[in-house]
Amino acid sequence: MAIKKIEEMDYYEILNLSQDASPQDIERAYYLGKATYRQGSLAHYSLLSERERWYILRKIEEAYQNLKDAEKRKSYNLKMSLKSSDKESRTRYRRSTQKLEIEDADEKKSLWRRIKFLLFSPKKK
Amino acid sequence: MTMSSDQNPLSLSLHPSPQKTIWAVGGGKGGTGKSFIAANLAIYLSSFESDVVLIDADLGGPNLHTFLGMNHSNLDLGHFFSNKIKKLKDTVVFTPFDGLRLIKGTDRTPFMANVNYYKKLKFIRHVKAFDAKRVIIDIGTGTSYNDIDFFILSNPGLLVINPEPTSIENTYYFLRTCIIRILKSHIEYHRFQDLVRRIAEDTEDHSRSIYGFLKAITAYNKSYAQILFKALENFKPCLITNKAKEDRDYLLGESMVDVIQKYLVVKVKYLGAVPYDENVPLSLKGLTPFLSSYADSKAAASLKDIAKKLLRQPE
């Protein structure tokens, strides 16, 4: 379970949408968000400070401006996928390095020795 | 010490077999229509299912029987709690509806709202063992341990709200209390004793900081945090708006789901809104159940729709 602060949420999470949301979904989520966090809305009564309310409204606006425009959305999605693949590849690299150093190093070396021995050792006549 | 989060720390859960459902109707604020919703959901279910049991666990002020058009009966929950009747099932009374039985709340035994922990566990054990496919519990107003525990342990708990500031305020307070109860009970069960003090300090005094508390636990110990995240993930209450009048009242439930998810880190499912109907007080005055007398009303259609959504709920 990912528990995220508003500041850490991406545009889709801010609008409570999946990444394959249609333009109509985006439009609807935007208007629902605006209605939810507008001044005087009952939905946030007693729970949010004025500052929190103002901040989430700003984030909703920002998310909508970036997702409603097809070009901006495409480049945002690309940025998101690059970010996640970069994170993934860095994780893999780190893991494989650790594994190589701790567990596999000797074994690989001995395997290479065995292969070399099989391929290049002079055959007994 | 077990590190599994699947077990419920409150020694008994109300999660029975998959074929059986136990819904608890609650929400903190009085007068929102919890008993109205509970009674009419039960009446509707009993129109196509033969074993529905309605339990009036509003220990401080029971009146579910009135919503069913019934008068006083000789048997009630007070007999069970005072050990005059050993088995909960023996306190059941028949209702005017074929498939529906009722366990009436007691208005004869004073201080019944303060039943102790062992009586509560006994009650939960008997509810779980009850021979009925659908059990609906109408829990009391407020945030006592009993109310909160009946709500947390049901599958799912139904929050009934009105489009009014006082109702919203009390609903958020009720939810926060549920969250704190869940976190505390898991911490105690898994013996994270060093965290008990911290959760009390961080969440009770500054109840907006549930997110901050969970983040702090994650930094402190990831496996502890996983258990607590999982416990909160398993808490999936549903929301019903009652007495909706304007367009914005119908949107309120969806909006609250978003606010709760973002700021209270709990996923709530919105089941729909029941429109305000001036015939509700009339049906009460006439001791005629609403769903029977006004079966074609918009409110009745919404109640049926909500019941259908609940029956489709995954376990």
Side-chain angles (χ1 to χ4, degrees):
Chain A
M1 182 184 182
I3 290 186
K4 288 183 177 178
K5 224 173 175 174
I6 305 298
E7 290 86 337
E8 299 163 356
M9 288 181 178
D10 63 44
Y11 292 153
Y12 292 98
E13 288 166 331
I14 287 287
L15 292 178
N16 211 353
L17 289 167
S18 62
Q19 283 202 32
D20 57 357
S22 69
Q24 290 79 9
D25 294 336
I26 294 170
E27 194 87 358
R28 192 185 180 280
Y30 170 67
Y31 286 111
L32 181 69
K34 292 277 274 187
T36 300
Y37 298 101
R38 73 178 164 79
Q39 196 168 27
S41 160
L42 279 180
H44 59 75
Y45 182 75
S46 78
L47 199 66
L48 301 193
S49 67
E50 192 51 27
R51 197 164 168 269
E52 287 170 313
R53 189 188 69 79
W54 174 82
Y55 184 75
I56 183 71
L57 270 178
R58 207 185 71 183
K59 293 294 280 184
I60 287 169
E61 193 63 48
E62 187 186 318
Y64 177 64
Q65 293 304 331
N66 279 280
L67 297 185
K68 75 166 182 179
D69 184 303
E71 278 306 306
K72 280 185 184 171
R73 185 179 176 185
K74 206 172 151 185
S75 81
Y76 179 72
N77 288 351
L78 187 70
K79 216 166 92 182
M80 267 179 75
S81 65
L82 282 175
K83 216 169 155 185
S84 66
S85 66
D86 180 45
K87 201 175 163 188
E88 227 170 71
S89 65
R90 269 191 286 136
T91 314
R92 262 206 301 271
Y93 175 72
R94 205 165 48 239
R95 274 190 196 149
S96 65
T97 309
Q98 274 177 355
K99 203 174 175 199
L100 189 69
E101 283 172 5
I102 298 164
E103 296 167 20
D104 294 348
D106 285 345
E107 202 181 308
K108 279 194 175 173
K109 214 170 162 183
S110 62
L111 178 70
W112 176 236
R113 260 196 218 122
R114 285 206 302 275
I115 293 167
K116 237 171 35 174
F117 179 75
L118 284 171
L119 292 173
F120 304 113
S121 61
K123 284 180 183 172
K124 287 177 185 173
K125 289 182 182 174
Chain B
M1 177 173 77
T2 171
M3 295 299 277
S4 160
S5 58
D6 296 334
Q7 269 179 289
N8 197 301
L10 293 167
S11 72
L12 279 166
S13 98
L14 277 175
H15 287 239
S17 63
Q19 295 79 27
K20 183 173 171 177
T21 56
I22 300 175
W23 304 334
V25 187
K29 172 87 171 66
T32 54
K34 292 187 290 292
S35 300
F36 166 76
I37 299 278
N40 286 289
L41 284 178
I43 291 171
Y44 176 62
L45 286 182
S46 70
S47 67
F48 56 90
E49 288 193 346
S50 58
D51 49 357
V52 181
V53 169
L54 194 51
I55 302 176
D56 195 347
D58 187 346
L59 303 176
N63 48 25
L64 204 47
H65 55 283
T66 312
F67 283 91
L68 297 177
M70 294 167 71
N71 281 315
H72 288 282
S73 69
N74 292 328
L75 284 173
D76 62 40
L77 206 50
H79 293 100
F80 174 74
F81 282 128
S82 58
N83 284 325
K84 285 177 189 153
I85 290 179
K86 297 284 177 214
K87 290 179 180 170
L88 186 67
K89 64 176 184 177
D90 294 334
T91 62
V92 156
V93 292
F94 289 97
T95 71
F97 304 90
D98 279 347
L100 178 61
R101 292 173 288 163
L102 171 72
I103 295 179
K104 213 182 128 295
T106 183
D107 48 9
R108 283 179 292 194
T109 318
F111 307 115
M112 195 43 73
N114 305 312
V115 290
N116 66 36
Y117 179 73
Y118 299 100
K119 282 184 178 172
K120 178 176 69 184
L121 286 189
K122 184 183 162 195
F123 173 71
I124 291 172
R125 204 168 52 238
H126 280 247
V127 170
K128 202 181 162 195
F130 213 100
D131 181 25
K133 194 175 174 189
R134 309 279 173 218
V135 177
I136 300 176
I137 310 175
D138 179 20
I139 62 176
T141 296
T143 50
S144 72
Y145 274 139
N146 293 334
D147 298 329
I148 294 291
D149 287 350
F150 293 154
F151 189 83
I152 290 171
L153 298 176
S154 57
N155 64 333
L158 312 179
L159 288 164
V160 179
I161 60 145
N162 291 160
E164 294 163 5
T166 44
S167 169
I168 310 300
E169 193 171 22
N170 286 3
T171 303
Y172 287 143
Y173 181 66
F174 183 84
L175 268 176
R176 277 202 299 254
T177 312
C178 288
I179 292 166
I180 292 168
R181 177 77 172 145
I182 291 169
L183 294 176
K184 264 188 162 181
S185 54
H186 274 80
I187 284 169
E188 281 163 11
Y189 179 76
H190 293 286
R191 298 181 199 281
F192 310 159
Q193 297 299 358
D194 49 342
L195 298 181
V196 174
R197 183 181 45 81
R198 201 163 171 178
I199 191 171
E201 286 169 3
D202 285 1
T203 55
E204 279 179 358
D205 296 343
H206 312 97
S207 47
R208 278 192 187 149
S209 62
I210 287 166
Y211 169 84
F213 167 75
L214 290 170
K215 239 358 192 199
I217 299 296
T218 310
Y220 179 82
N221 185 315
K222 275 190 181 165
S223 61
Y224 286 6
Q226 277 303 319
I227 288 170
L228 299 182
F229 288 168
K230 186 81 187 158
L232 286 183
E233 232 177 358
N234 288 336
F235 177 52
K236 295 169 187 163
C238 294
L239 188 79
I240 298 168
T241 307
N242 190 29
K243 302 180 192 173
K245 285 180 182 168
E246 302 167 25
D247 286 350
R248 65 174 70 170
D249 298 344
Y250 289 87
L251 271 182
L252 180 62
E254 273 189 78
S255 289
M256 282 181 73
V257 166
D258 191 75
V259 174
I260 293 165
Q261 191 175 324
K262 284 192 170 83
Y263 295 93
L264 293 179
V265 298
V266 165
K267 279 198 174 176
V268 173
K269 185 177 177 182
Y270 178 54
L271 293 175
V274 180
Y276 175 81
D277 193 321
E278 58 193 14
N279 292 317
V280 174
L282 288 179
S283 71
L284 267 175
K285 276 182 192 164
L287 278 181
T288 50
F290 178 79
L291 215 61
S292 317
S293 319
Y294 302 95
D296 298 326
S297 63
K298 282 185 182 172
S302 310
L303 285 162
K304 290 173 191 172
D305 193 44
I306 286 167
K308 284 174 196 161
K309 281 184 190 163
L310 270 167
L311 290 173
R312 286 198 295 268
Q313 275 270 110
E315 274 299 303

